[in-house]
Amino acid sequence: MNPFSSGTRLRDMIRAIRACKTAAEERAVVRKECAAIRAAINENDQDYRHRNLAKLMFIHMLGYPTHFGQMECLKLIASPGFPEKRIGYLGLMLLLDERQEVLMLVTNSLKQDLNHTNQYIVGLALCALGNICSAEMARDLAPEVERLLQFRDPNIRKKAALCSIRIIKKVPDLAENFINPATALLREKHHGVLITGVQLCTDLCKISTEALEHIRKKCTDGLVRTLKDLANSPYSPEYDIAGITDPFLHIRLLKLLRVLGEGDADASDTMNDILAQVATKTESNKVAGNAILYECVQTIMSIEDNGGLRVLAINILGRFLSNRDNNIRYVALNMLMKAVSADAQAVQRHRATILECVKDSDASIRKRALELVYVLVNETNVKPLAKELIDYLEVSDLDFRGDLTAKICSIVAKFSPEKIWYIDQMLKVLTEAGNFVKDEVWYALIVVISNASELHGYTVRALYRAFQVSAEQESLVRVTVWCIGEYGDMLVNNVGMLDIEDPITVTESDAVDVVEIAIKRHASDLTTKAMALVALLKLSSRFPSCSERIREIIVQFKGSFVLELQQRAIEFNSIIAKHQNIRSTLVERMPVLDEATFIGRRAGSLPGAASTPTIPSVSLPNGVAKPVAPLVDLLDLNSDDAPAPSSSGGGDLLQDLLGVDLPPASQQSGAGQASKTGNDVLLDLLSIGSPSAPSSSSAVDILSSNSSNKVPVSPLDDLSSLSLSTGTTSNAAPMMDLLDGLAPSPPTENNGPVYPSITAFESSSLRLTFNFSKQPGNPQTTVIEATFINLSSNTYTDFVFQAAVPKFLQLHLDPASSNTLPTAGNGSITQNLKITNSQHGKKSLVMRIRIAYKINGKDTLEEGQVNNFPRDL
Amino acid sequence: MINFVLLISRQGKVRLTKWYSPYSQKERNKVIRELSGVVLTRAPKLCNFVEWRGHKVVYKRYASLYFCMCIDEDDNELEVLEIIHHFVEILDRYFGSVCELDLIFNFHKAYYILDELLIAGELQESSKKTVARLIAAQDSLVETAKEEASSLSNIIAQATK
């Protein structure tokens, strides 16, 4: 016998491990034990196998690797005795999961044990199967489990019922086999069987509409009766919890009734009485009772409308909300969220209480409440609600502030009644939590500011004031710097004073101070500093008296280690020094940014944002630019750009700005400069529509360079969103068309690169071709038109096409044009598929297909894999 | 459905884990680390629910042990609290006022009891008495098997003497 394995008992090992003072000691003990167990495994030691496995389970629980013990589980399961099997199954469930290949080896033992004469062994096998079975095992063993649903002992029936749940979740096709045995369980008296049977039916209904219809028709009355009997049952000690007989069964019955009542007026009608009874009679001073009420309210809210019941339910929630117990308040908020869609008015009544919950000390409650407030906001109550939330922002926890800020910004943007209010609220948010504000949010703010010409002076003064107190909030600094750059003269001259404002005196050098602080602040990041440089350039023209000082600040950055800043500094310096005559035109005020375009672009660029996060940041100043002052726009464009590509990109832009012709830029993008900048340059050129607009050849150039880069569609989409048309461009038409957006809707070839259609599948009897198209603005999504052509002389009936794709793809199948495919030459079936590629640009599409149809009533099945998709889909 | 059950001691040691949804070993360790960080640091009076990665974790502390169950978004949190309590009461009856040490040295027993209570992440039995009876019956099966084995080895020992 192995000298090690016999050594320690399980108990002694646990003691030894617990006695360890340090992690290293523990590791040493575990290592020794593992070595001994391995040795025992190698010697095929039988006597201590179960003890070794028990030890391994403990070691596993501590987080050490135990894969070498997996086979031991199988051996124990295969041995005849109950004790060995019991520990073997436990080890199996603990050490393995459904994805391990080893698991397949146990299928046979499971099958035998499911047919064992000892019901406890059957129970063990069912338990293991229910906890870890894979789809293959589910398929293999489903008949056994189905049979066990009618086993004489109720304890086996209940286990089989739960096991069936796992099986139908793994293999939904098997659901229909379980419908009849499952409904039989609903007539049982044994609570365990009833609970599991109800649960099985609930899951069946979710998986199969056939089951739902069947159970709704056959069982609703019975279930209502069961619930009624249960609710009225006398005290029974075995199932009693806090004065209620079997709350677990109550809850499951209510849940199943909810599934049955949803969308069916008759079924809902049947259960009205009992729901009213449960809602009014259940004691609500203990958790169990509240759990039932909670479930009951959910059911009332989900089933078909019954005004009276809804009122009852909302009242229960109101009572929950004022409860002192945090758990109850949490579920009330959770439930109100669902009730909003049914009865927003009733939920609004509790607004004040909900708002209090946003300030709760409990993070879970705060989060729920905030989400609820968010859906409760509308035009009429936005002002007080936003005020409350913003006031609370000041004192909120740091880890909650991000969520809160995002929600406030979204509320304010969505419902703001007037611009000045929007700007005021946003400034408050920026002052309190500017570091949590997302980039899109402050872009949007700038767009709004730019559009509110009568508020320019007011805004820049307010920002100036805010900056004095909260200079550490990054996004506040950016907005301030931008506004001072644009409207610095209004700040100094108190232009456009509103009645509500206090007058302030700001000198030109005060304004420059702000920008200087921003640019020199250690914590400012590249974007802020780059924006500050642009602002300085602009101020140098607006404030001639400070011009020299500004030049000095700019010169300091000529030595910056950050290429982007260095380059800007050098360029701006030379503008100030050498190009006095064009400087003032160069740094004119930004044209009004177009809100509609911005919003449209933002919506359009969202899907792409995941793969190229900087897109939104460049898209704002760039895409929304009106052609009035293209040069300024170009200057600004770069401010948000990533440093790497801009070293050359910036140069090009500047060249453009100084009147250099276009071709260099487009050539350059073709020459493999970082594609993002390339696109933007091109885009900009187009949107500016400068006199030397690209000829047809350079338009082609754009297209071809696009198809080789990673986001082929977005620039084209940008074009269409600006309702430009390359068609017009290539005609060398005057730029006016571009400027005014008069061009007709883009021609079809503008919708994206054209992909050749492919023959996805061909057999002797059938051909399947795919035509591809992309939706503008969504490069990840491909729309495939599948055409099926019958190559034989028989008509195919019951034609069904199925397709499967790997995880990184999402597939949506539209209904086919027909399910009958006429003989060769007499027509075809078409069906649209929509595929979203989450790894767009990295992985190509791939699809497995299955086509089933009947020839003269005989089933035929064809399968295949499609690998010949064009790349870049 | 219940996606997993976790028992963590106040020091963050794992006392029992049961996974009803597939998680790889690496994910399991990560989940345990993350959750013990969240759950153990919550103040006592707060609610027993934590939202976590699109799921909800219902936890309850009994003496030095935290019982955690991770459920789906639309499950009934209050009921799961009651299930946890149900489990604890059964453990209590089985061990006779259960303590953490019982669960350490007899961890396999705790698993057996859990297996009589939950399968596939769903509740199996609402009667504590039934669970106790089933466990007792299986324990006695093991006892008889052991006795048989020892008497058998005695006979062999006698015969070979």
Side-chain angles (χ1 to χ4, degrees):
Chain A
M1 187 174 291
N2 185 304
F4 297 106
S5 66
S6 58
T8 46
R9 295 181 306 160
L10 173 64
R11 183 164 281 270
D12 295 330
M13 183 195 81
I14 296 177
R15 271 209 194 98
I17 289 176
R18 281 174 56 76
C20 293
K21 296 260 182 329
T22 64
E25 267 181 64
E26 184 184 292
R27 275 198 296 276
V29 173
V30 169
R31 202 162 37 223
K32 215 174 108 199
E33 284 292 343
C34 284
I37 294 170
R38 276 174 197 267
I41 291 173
N42 286 340
E43 284 175 25
N44 208 5
D45 175 290
Q46 304 229 343
D47 302 341
Y48 291 100
R49 186 171 275 153
H50 61 282
R51 181 203 274 176
N52 285 338
L53 186 59
K55 283 182 184 174
L56 269 185
M57 283 189 254
F58 190 82
I59 292 170
H60 176 85
M61 210 155 43
L62 296 174
Y64 295 92
T66 48
H67 47 273
F68 54 88
Q70 290 174 350
M71 287 309 289
E72 294 297 283
C73 300
L74 305 194
K75 285 183 197 155
L76 280 168
I77 291 171
S79 57
F82 177 79
E84 288 81 14
K85 279 184 189 294
R86 195 185 194 194
I87 197 99
Y89 275 119
L90 183 59
L92 184 79
M93 289 186 279
L94 222 58
L95 305 185
L96 276 88
D97 70 65
E98 60 177 276
R99 286 173 299 200
Q100 268 139 342
E101 305 264 312
V102 186
L103 200 59
M104 284 308 291
L105 301 176
V106 87
T107 312
N108 217 14
S109 301
L110 272 171
K111 191 166 196 153
Q112 280 170 6
D113 286 349
L114 288 174
N115 292 309
H116 207 279
T117 47
N118 183 338
Q119 61 153 337
Y120 293 106
I121 289 178
V122 178
L124 288 177
L126 277 174
C127 180
L129 191 63
N131 285 346
I132 60 166
C133 86
S134 61
E136 289 90 346
M137 288 167 80
R139 238 183 260 279
D140 289 344
L141 298 174
E144 261 72 25
V145 176
E146 205 185 309
R147 186 176 49 76
L148 288 172
L149 283 172
Q150 280 132 32
F151 197 79
R152 61 191 142 67
D153 187 295
N155 293 312
I156 295 302
R157 289 203 296 273
K158 74 187 186 195
K159 285 189 163 73
L162 292 184
C163 206
S164 312
I165 294 181
R166 171 104 183 180
I167 289 174
I168 58 168
K169 278 186 182 167
K170 291 283 163 203
V171 192
D173 304 351
L174 292 172
E176 58 186 284
N177 302 351
F178 285 94
I179 297 175
N180 282 322
T183 45
L185 297 180
L186 297 180
R187 290 187 290 272
E188 297 258 1
K189 287 278 173 283
H190 185 281
H191 280 227
V193 182
L194 199 48
I195 278 189
T196 54
V198 171
Q199 186 66 49
L200 174 57
C201 286
T202 313
D203 284 304
L204 273 171
C205 289
K206 284 182 190 159
I207 287 169
S208 135
T209 44
E210 187 194 341
L212 175 62
E213 290 305 325
H214 179 87
I215 294 172
R216 187 181 273 156
K217 213 163 91 203
K218 295 275 165 61
C219 309
T220 310
D221 290 329
L223 286 166
V224 169
R225 215 172 314 118
T226 314
L227 181 56
K228 199 169 276 171
D229 292 345
L230 183 66
N232 297 329
S233 68
Y235 174 75
S236 82
E238 193 171 351
Y239 295 103
D240 185 82
I241 296 179
I244 298 164
T245 305
D246 206 341
F248 301 114
L249 183 54
H250 267 99
I251 289 168
R252 274 169 188 67
L253 284 167
L254 287 167
K255 206 177 275 177
L256 180 53
L257 286 180
R258 170 159 81 239
V259 176
L260 298 179
E262 238 168 323
D264 189 292
D266 289 343
S268 302
D269 217 40
T270 331
M271 57 189 80
N272 273 339
D273 287 349
I274 183 64
L275 290 179
Q277 189 199 331
V278 173
T280 46
K281 297 273 171 61
T282 310
E283 291 282 339
S284 65
N285 46 5
K286 287 279 167 45
V287 179
N290 284 324
I292 293 177
L293 282 176
Y294 177 43
E295 199 67 47
C296 187
V297 168
Q298 277 199 61
T299 302
I300 291 174
M301 286 299 177
S302 304
I303 63 169
E304 289 311 293
D305 200 16
N306 177 315
L309 274 182
R310 289 255 159 107
V311 172
L312 197 63
I314 296 275
N315 285 343
I316 293 175
L317 290 181
R319 227 163 56 218
F320 273 18
L321 204 56
S322 53
N323 201 304
R324 279 221 304 279
D325 185 340
N326 281 331
N327 289 339
I328 308 292
R329 283 199 297 150
Y330 177 90
V331 298
L333 290 169
N334 205 11
M335 196 56 239
L336 283 170
M337 190 86 179
K338 292 178 190 158
V340 169
S341 55
D343 190 352
Q345 219 52 46
V347 182
Q348 289 283 5
R349 276 206 298 277
H350 300 292
R351 209 172 58 216
T353 325
I354 296 166
L355 208 50
E356 280 312 301
C357 293
V358 175
K359 303 169 190 175
D360 201 273
S361 58
D362 186 330
S364 299
I365 290 185
R366 274 198 312 252
K367 191 153 176 261
R368 276 279 131 244
L370 181 62
E371 240 134 66
L372 189 51
V373 168
Y374 182 67
V375 296
L376 284 182
V377 175
N378 56 31
E379 283 83 359
T380 53
N381 60 20
V382 62
K383 281 194 173 181
L385 277 177
K387 182 177 181 318
E388 283 276 349
L389 293 179
I390 291 172
D391 287 349
Y392 177 59
L393 194 56
E394 227 168 300
V395 290
S396 61
D397 282 355
L398 277 183
D399 50 354
F400 186 52
R401 223 175 259 192
D403 275 354
L404 188 58
T405 311
K407 286 280 192 296
I408 295 176
C409 292
S410 161
I411 290 171
V412 169
K414 210 156 128 200
F415 296 107
S416 76
E418 63 238 349
K419 279 188 173 155
I420 184 167
W421 184 82
Y422 170 77
I423 291 173
D424 279 346
Q425 306 310 312
M426 286 309 299
L427 289 199
K428 281 189 209 160
V429 174
L430 288 180
T431 316
E432 286 306 332
N435 289 334
F436 295 95
V437 170
K438 299 228 164 40
D439 283 350
E440 303 89 75
V441 174
W442 65 263
Y443 295 159
L445 176 61
I446 287 186
V447 173
V448 173
I449 293 174
S450 151
N451 275 281
S453 53
E454 68 291 351
L455 296 174
H456 285 168
Y458 169 77
T459 310
V460 70
R461 282 187 293 276
L463 279 165
Y464 178 82
R465 279 197 206 97
F467 184 84
Q468 305 302 325
V469 289
S470 314
E472 76 287 353
Q473 305 285 356
E474 192 83 43
S475 54
L476 176 75
V477 173
R478 290 182 189 170
V479 178
T480 311
V481 163
W482 189 87
C483 285
I484 290 183
E486 294 299 317
Y487 315 120
D489 44 335
M490 297 182 159
L491 171 65
V492 176
N493 304 328
N494 278 336
V495 172
M497 211 48 184
L498 300 185
D499 299 339
I500 47 168
E501 273 184 90
D502 295 328
I504 54 167
T505 333
V506 184
T507 64
E508 292 186 351
S509 92
D510 288 342
V512 178
D513 279 348
V514 169
V515 185
E516 189 176 359
I517 291 170
I519 203 169
K520 296 212 168 141
R521 196 169 66 99
H522 190 61
S524 294
D525 69 1
L526 174 63
T527 310
T528 313
K529 289 186 175 171
M531 289 177 80
L533 271 178
V534 177
L536 284 173
L537 177 64
K538 295 197 167 192
L539 290 181
S540 77
S541 160
R542 310 231 201 300
F543 303 156
S545 64
C546 293
S547 187
E548 191 48 35
R549 179 179 162 209
I550 287 171
R551 204 183 64 82
E552 274 161 25
I553 302 173
I554 291 180
V555 164
Q556 288 171 20
F557 280 84
K558 278 166 81 173
S560 168
F561 287 127
V562 184
L563 200 54
E564 169 71 24
L565 295 179
Q566 189 189 64
Q567 187 180 354
R568 278 183 195 225
I570 292 171
E571 289 161 359
F572 293 176
N573 183 45
S574 73
I575 292 174
I576 295 175
K578 298 185 197 148
H579 298 279
Q580 289 291 347
N581 50 340
I582 60 161
R583 188 178 60 184
S584 57
T585 34
L586 210 52
V587 299
E588 253 176 41
R589 190 163 292 160
M590 284 278 281
V592 170
L593 304 167
D594 184 12
E595 273 175 297
T597 321
F598 171 70
I599 291 160
R601 284 182 60 93
R602 195 157 55 140
S605 67
L606 278 181
S611 52
T612 47
T614 43
I615 279 192
S617 69
V618 270
S619 64
L620 162 73
N622 168 13
V624 293
K626 286 262 175 81
V628 190
L631 302 178
V632 187
D633 178 38
L634 284 173
L635 268 183
D636 247 26
L637 158 72
N638 235 19
S639 65
D640 304 313
D641 216 338
S646 53
S647 57
S648 54
D652 283 328
L653 293 172
L654 205 72
Q655 282 171 355
D656 286 353
L657 161 145
L658 297 172
V660 179
D661 213 2
L662 289 162
S666 48
Q667 268 166 17
Q668 204 211 6
S669 75
Q673 193 215 7
S675 59
K676 179 162 58 59
T677 324
N679 291 343
D680 286 321
V681 173
L682 292 170
L683 228 193
D684 223 61
L685 300 177
L686 287 173
S687 72
I688 294 158
S690 68
S692 47
S695 65
S696 61
S697 71
S698 68
V700 172
D701 216 330
I702 295 167
L703 283 174
S704 60
S705 76
N706 285 334
S707 57
S708 66
N709 76 35
K710 290 200 172 177
V711 269
V713 183
S714 69
L716 293 164
D717 162 41
D718 287 331
L719 290 180
S720 51
S721 79
L722 290 165
S723 68
L724 297 176
S725 122
T726 41
T728 334
T729 328
S730 56
N731 291 339
M735 58 177 173
M736 285 313 293
D737 278 43
L738 293 167
L739 302 185
D740 297 343
L742 290 176
S745 60
T748 39
E749 65 266 24
N750 208 17
N751 278 343
V754 178
Y755 296 99
S757 40
I758 59 165
T759 301
F761 177 80
E762 183 155 11
S763 68
S764 56
S765 49
L766 187 73
R767 182 191 298 143
L768 165 59
T769 53
F770 281 174
N771 287 316
F772 305 99
S773 57
K774 289 270 190 190
Q775 291 175 332
N778 203 350
Q780 298 191 330
T781 303
T782 310
V783 179
I784 302 177
E785 189 195 34
T787 311
F788 304 90
I789 297 164
N790 187 341
L791 301 177
S792 75
S793 51
N794 298 313
T795 303
Y796 301 159
T797 54
D798 295 325
F799 189 90
V800 178
F801 168 69
Q802 291 172 306
V805 291
K807 283 226 176 73
F808 67 92
L809 299 174
Q810 263 187 344
L811 176 66
H812 175 85
L813 279 171
D814 286 341
S817 59
S818 157
N819 66 350
T820 309
L821 186 56
T823 51
N826 288 335
S828 59
I829 294 180
T830 56
Q831 186 166 15
N832 277 342
L833 294 74
K834 200 156 73 189
I835 293 196
T836 307
N837 185 352
S838 64
Q839 305 263 21
H840 177 76
K842 287 184 218 138
K843 291 196 186 171
S844 303
L845 301 187
V846 60
M847 182 187 290
R848 190 167 282 171
I849 57 171
R850 176 192 280 179
I851 302 163
Y853 51 87
K854 285 185 179 166
I855 307 176
N856 301 329
K858 198 165 111 308
D859 284 318
T860 313
L861 188 69
E862 302 204 47
E863 290 181 309
Q865 184 155 345
V866 189
N867 296 323
N868 55 341
F869 284 100
R871 296 173 61 81
D872 298 325
L873 274 181
Chain B
M1 95 178 242
I2 297 168
N3 294 297
F4 57 82
V5 178
L6 263 186
L7 261 67
I8 321 174
S9 78
R10 218 152 55 101
Q11 288 80 30
K13 293 254 186 234
V14 180
R15 295 304 177 210
L16 182 148
T17 57
K18 188 90 187 174
W19 309 85
Y20 297 103
S21 299
Y23 290 84
S24 71
Q25 197 58 46
K26 218 164 136 198
E27 287 167 330
R28 290 180 186 186
N29 291 341
K30 191 157 165 260
V31 166
I32 292 170
R33 227 177 315 120
E34 251 177 54
L35 269 187
S36 44
V38 176
V39 168
L40 298 183
T41 50
R42 276 176 68 87
K45 288 276 176 198
L46 304 183
C47 73
N48 296 80
F49 319 125
V50 184
E51 288 172 34
W52 176 79
R53 292 209 220 156
H55 292 288
K56 284 176 186 162
V57 174
V58 178
Y59 71 93
K60 192 158 169 112
R61 182 178 164 182
Y62 289 87
S64 59
L65 269 185
Y66 284 85
F67 289 68
C68 312
M69 292 189 181
C70 171
I71 53 171
D72 291 336
E73 191 78 43
D74 50 355
D75 283 337
N76 188 329
E77 301 90 347
L78 295 176
E79 191 212 2
V80 176
L81 266 186
E82 204 57 57
I83 292 181
I84 291 178
H85 190 69
H86 192 56
F87 180 42
V88 174
E89 282 192 318
I90 296 171
L91 287 174
D92 202 55
R93 264 190 214 185
Y94 183 81
F95 289 105
S97 97
V98 66
C99 69
E100 195 182 337
L101 278 183
D102 289 325
L103 298 186
I104 295 172
F105 284 102
N106 295 297
F107 67 95
H108 50 294
K109 300 273 176 64
Y111 278 108
Y112 293 144
I113 292 174
L114 187 61
D115 281 342
E116 285 299 332
L117 195 65
L118 300 175
I119 288 183
E122 300 290 354
L123 184 74
Q124 167 184 185
E125 181 58 68
S126 53
S127 156
K128 296 186 262 289
K129 219 167 96 189
T130 308
V131 174
R133 193 163 47 77
L134 290 172
I135 292 289
Q138 296 180 60
D139 282 351
S140 73
L141 267 183
V142 174
E143 284 308 315
T144 23
K146 261 192 199 164
E147 272 165 30
E148 270 172 27
S150 64
S151 64
L152 207 65
S153 60
N154 278 347
I155 294 168
I156 295 168
Q158 297 254 308
T160 52
K161 208 185 271 178

